Amino acid sequence: MIGYLGDPDLGSGSRSRGEALLLDLLRPVTATALETPLPADPRARRVALELLDDPACALAVDAWGRRVGTSRRTLARLFLADTGMTFGRWRTLVRLQAALPALAAGEPLQRVSHSVGYETVSAFVAAFRRETGTTPGAYFGVGRQKAAVAAQARQGLVHR
């Protein structure tokens, strides 16, 4: 529709009708930001960068602390002070961010959840719901798309 409206030779009547239709079709969507600010402290930043490179890494915060030469408690405090969130929540958001492109491409939920470090699909879905307020399928409108195709098929508009 936007491409249609971009035609410079489109008449004013057609343009007005097209714009009105486009406005009728557009629906606002709620967007949830999965922002993960980087910590300023070099030790916490090193952990953050490694997790961004490998979101599935299962090292616990105490192992990360040993890796960067600090205690678990210090590392946890650094994450909270520098990012405004706990280490666990920060890592969850990194994992969910990493999963979004694969989910949007329609990859199977089991493959996506395992690729970002979740042992079970249900744990991944629970984390996704906790952070976004919805399931991965609903986030990408999978349910709405299937319902629309089913409705069109019932009306004889789509051949399966």
Side-chain angles (χ1 to χ4, degrees), residues 56-137:
C57 181
L59 286 179
V61 68
D62 52 336
W64 280 112
R66 285 191 301 275
R67 184 180 265 190
V68 297
T70 192
S71 72
R72 174 187 70 78
R73 291 181 69 187
T74 298
L75 185 59
R77 279 195 296 270
L78 290 171
F79 262 87
L80 188 57
D82 287 357
T83 68
M85 61 187 85
T86 65
F87 172 80
R89 178 153 187 256
W90 190 91
R91 176 170 37 198
T92 295
L93 293 177
V94 164
R95 288 176 169 180
L96 296 179
Q97 281 179 338
L100 289 176
L103 291 170
E107 289 192 30
L109 198 52
Q110 185 166 359
R111 183 182 315 150
V112 174
S113 62
H114 288 286
S115 73
V116 295
Y118 286 90
E119 290 189 24
T120 66
V121 172
S122 61
F124 173 76
V125 171
F128 197 96
R129 183 187 296 270
R130 187 173 50 252
E131 293 300 334
T132 66
T134 189
T135 64

Side-chain angles (χ1 to χ4, degrees), residues 132-157:
T132 66
T134 189
T135 64
Y139 187 86
F140 288 99
V142 171
R144 286 190 306 258
Q145 290 170 356
K146 286 181 181 176
V149 168
Q152 290 175 348
R154 282 192 303 272
Q155 296 172 355
L157 300 174

